Amino acid sequence: MIKIKSPAELERMRASGRLAAQLREAVVARVAPGVTTRELDAYAREWLAQHGARSAFLGYRGYPGCICISVNDEVVHGIGGDRQVLMGDLVSLDFGVSYEGYVGDTAKTVLVGALQPESLHLVQTAEAALQAGIAAARPGNHVGDIGHAVEQVARRARMSVVRDFVGHGVGRHLHEDPQVPNYGRPGQGARLRPGMTLAIEPMLNRGGAAVRVLADGWTVVTRDGSLSAHCEHTVAIGPEGPEILTCTAAN
Ligand code: MF3
Ligand code: CO
Ligand code: CO
């Protein structure tokens, strides 16, 4: 069952979305050579407490962190730890913020220091795929139109789309109906209606699409060791088209 949010609920989704975006930018600003992923998680924990919000990830199915930090060949669900961020690393950061009963979910991948052309191309393609997916999130379209748009951008750049993890509805809960795969056929899947709120989140690999989970039970890595990027926005389907909820005033 796909929930249609009332105007009052959408207001609350805007508030949690804005906070998630602000946290994202605050943590992104602290990503630098030498910082450990544990320090980034601790900073997010502190920031959330100061803003009267909490992590929607902490405790979710037993997840031990506040945010997810996935480096290089790690795709998603990396847990903060002793690992130091190094020059040239590709760092994917994912934030679920719960504020006054509603969740905002957003992710971004950043390149640390020295410009690696192949990493830059991967990140730019993931961002372009996200924007294409968002553009397809309009009333009358279907869930499959979103995935199709994402997939087309990846294919043109000869990158693969992770199929084992998908986007989703978001609202009172982190994960609601429907699933929003990053692949699909136009006109297939549930019809999009005003008041739906979706997390659209392409995960793109330089190599093959196959992934596996590390022994920690969480960290997802590419099977072939190739680099991976992840970006995500929470989007409301408006009567005229998509509204990105996870943006700050500046972006
Ligand atoms: N990556 C997921 C999403 O954006 C959420 C991670 S759940 C966690 O929907 F428990 F792993 F954090
Ligand atoms: Co997320
Ligand atoms: Co999500």
Side-chain angles (χ1 to χ4, degrees), residues 57 94 105-106 166-168 170 174-175 199-201 230 232 234:
F57 295 171
D94 193 353
D105 189 8
T106 184
V166 296
H168 50 91
V170 55
L174 173 63
H175 293 150
I200 302 175
E201 49 178 315
H230 176 214
E232 175 177 31
T234 297

Side-chain angles (χ1 to χ4, degrees), residues 103-215:
V103 176
D105 189 8
T106 184
K108 186 169 181 169
T109 297
V110 296
L111 250 170
V112 183
L115 271 178
Q116 314 264 359
E118 65 281 9
S119 305
L120 187 62
H121 188 213
L122 176 63
V123 172
Q124 287 175 338
T125 305
E127 293 282 353
L130 173 59
Q131 289 305 324
I134 292 171
R138 31 189 335 108
N141 270 2
H142 293 250
V143 169
D145 291 286
I146 298 174
H148 181 73
V150 166
E151 210 178 3
Q152 290 286 95
V153 172
R155 180 174 308 156
R156 277 199 292 272
R158 297 178 185 286
M159 288 166 193
S160 57
V161 162
V162 173
R163 301 174 75 92
D164 295 7
F165 295 87
V166 296
H168 50 91
V170 55
R172 282 197 164 277
H173 303 280
L174 173 63
H175 293 150
E176 300 183 351
D177 285 343
Q179 293 199 347
V180 184
N182 294 301
Y183 54 87
R185 286 215 298 255
Q188 300 280 296
R191 179 186 280 271
L192 302 175
R193 300 181 194 281
M196 290 180 178
T197 46
L198 306 177
I200 302 175
E201 49 178 315
M203 288 145 267
L204 264 55
N205 300 343
R206 291 264 312 166
V211 298
R212 65 187 174 91
V213 179
L214 295 186

